[in-house]
Amino acid sequence: MRDETVINSTGRVDGSGSVFTTAVLAVNALVVLLIISSNSLVLAAIRLDSCLREDIRYIFIGGLAIADLLFGLSMTYNFITVFALYWVDSYYGCLTAYVMPVISLTASSFSVFLITVDQYVSVVYALRYRNVMTATTAKRLLRAVWCGSVFFGCTVYMGWNTYDGRCLMLDAMSPSFLLTMGTMAYMLPILCMIVLYTRILTIARYHVRQIALQEQINQDPLLRERGVKLQREVKMAVTVMIVLGVFTFSWLPLVTVQFIDAFNPGKNARCN
């Protein structure tokens, strides 16, 4: 059977009953279900455990889970409007399909950045960590991240867009906005995290070697305990670096398309 699914110039999906559309719906529905369920479980675990609620690291992890949960909800909105109801023809209805992922990406990237900063402070300023990074400070930082993310996303509603009735991302979103988002909400936090994690691993490994040498001389159990703690921090840093790598590559296709489109001089000359 020939696949007749197409997206026309207005952003509507034609041939919604085709095999291709059914397959796309099934795969994406599974992905959305996994995103929403897994992040909901993380948030529920943090909410129900009083120790986790006051743990600095889990406060930031909770912020990351909320951002990823928002992305799952935004995908749900997109699928419903594209495949079930067709694209919403209104100005706000269309732009909402792109504003929600923008807020999610921005909040997600800066939440991972806060986790990195927390790791950095715990290793580099270990003796002052409890005074520098408190639960109140962590929650304030998360609030600032979310306020900034929501404000940045809402600038699309305020006119930072090129919406002309066609509800496709590269038609509705301004090239300058896409470039700014890719730079400020993706590249900049990732570059900062790479620098911080390089510093974390360098300092932590140096301290581990120094403690091991002192332990051989003094046989001090306190030194051994500190060495074990530092090794645990190194393992945690490596784990978060893996998460950072997954985060980077998962958003890379979208950001790449945005950069290509932002620098495409022929965008305004597309066929209607």
Side-chain angles (χ1 to χ4, degrees):
M1 181 175 63
R2 185 169 62 92
D3 189 353
E4 298 178 350
T5 300
V6 296
I7 300 179
N8 62 28
S9 61
T10 63
R12 293 184 183 277
V13 176
D14 298 327
S16 58
S18 68
V19 174
F20 175 78
T21 303
T22 303
V24 170
L25 274 173
V27 172
N28 285 285
L30 178 60
V31 172
V32 170
L33 181 62
L34 289 174
I35 292 174
I36 293 177
S37 60
S38 59
N39 286 287
S40 297
L41 287 174
V42 171
L43 292 173
I46 296 174
R47 181 70 181 86
L48 296 174
D49 192 322
S50 58
C51 295
L52 294 183
R53 286 202 303 271
E54 296 303 319
D55 189 301
I56 309 299
R57 197 163 292 163
Y58 280 97
I59 292 175
F60 292 137
I61 290 174
L64 178 61
I66 293 174
D68 291 341
L69 180 61
L70 175 63
F71 181 70
L73 295 175
S74 70
M75 289 179 67
T76 304
Y77 176 85
N78 289 347
F79 297 148
I80 291 174
T81 55
V82 172
F83 293 105
L85 304 177
Y86 292 162
W87 280 108
V88 178
D89 291 330
S90 68
Y91 176 84
Y92 291 103
C94 171
L95 294 180
T96 298
Y98 305 118
V99 169
M100 290 175 68
V102 165
I103 295 174
S104 174
L105 170 61
T106 307
S108 184
S109 61
F110 280 101
S111 294
V112 177
F113 176 69
L114 289 179
I115 294 174
T116 306
V117 171
D118 175 67
Q119 194 79 33
Y120 179 81
V121 174
S122 68
V123 172
V124 179
Y125 304 102
L127 298 178
R128 290 186 291 165
Y129 175 74
R130 295 297 177 185
N131 295 326
V132 174
M133 193 65 72
T134 63
T136 301
T137 301
K139 291 173 183 177
R140 286 176 178 172
L141 289 172
L142 272 180
R143 290 192 192 103
V145 163
W146 276 97
C147 287
S149 300
V150 171
F151 175 78
F152 179 64
C154 287
T155 58
V156 176
Y157 293 132
M158 300 174 190
W160 201 358
N161 65 76
T162 54
Y163 177 73
D164 59 358
R166 294 177 298 181
C167 201
L168 295 172
M169 184 184 74
L170 299 183
D171 292 319
M173 302 297 284
S174 167
S176 60
F177 178 87
L178 295 176
L179 182 61
T180 302
M181 187 186 81
T183 303
M184 301 300 294
Y186 182 78
M187 293 184 62
L188 184 60
I190 288 175
L191 290 175
C192 291
M193 285 185 276
I194 290 173
V195 172
L196 289 178
Y197 271 114
T198 302
R199 179 73 173 160
I200 288 171
L201 293 176
T202 301
I203 293 176
R205 286 173 177 171
Y206 172 78
H207 284 311
V208 168
R209 288 195 297 267
Q210 291 298 109
I211 291 172
L213 290 174
Q214 293 178 19
E215 185 184 345
Q216 291 177 0
I217 298 173
N218 300 325
Q219 298 295 321
D220 189 345
L222 291 178
L223 286 174
R224 182 179 304 171
E225 181 181 348
R226 186 181 175 190
V228 171
K229 182 179 179 181
L230 272 173
Q231 289 176 345
R232 191 184 307 122
E233 292 293 339
V234 171
K235 291 180 180 179
M236 178 63 71
V238 172
T239 301
V240 179
M241 285 182 70
I242 294 173
V243 173
L244 173 60
V246 174
F247 170 83
T248 302
F249 285 107
S250 63
W251 284 101
L252 185 60
L254 174 62
V255 176
T256 301
V257 170
Q258 291 174 344
F259 272 106
I260 292 174
D261 188 71
F263 289 104
N264 179 15
K267 177 183 178 181
N268 294 327
R270 289 175 184 165
C271 296
N272 294 323

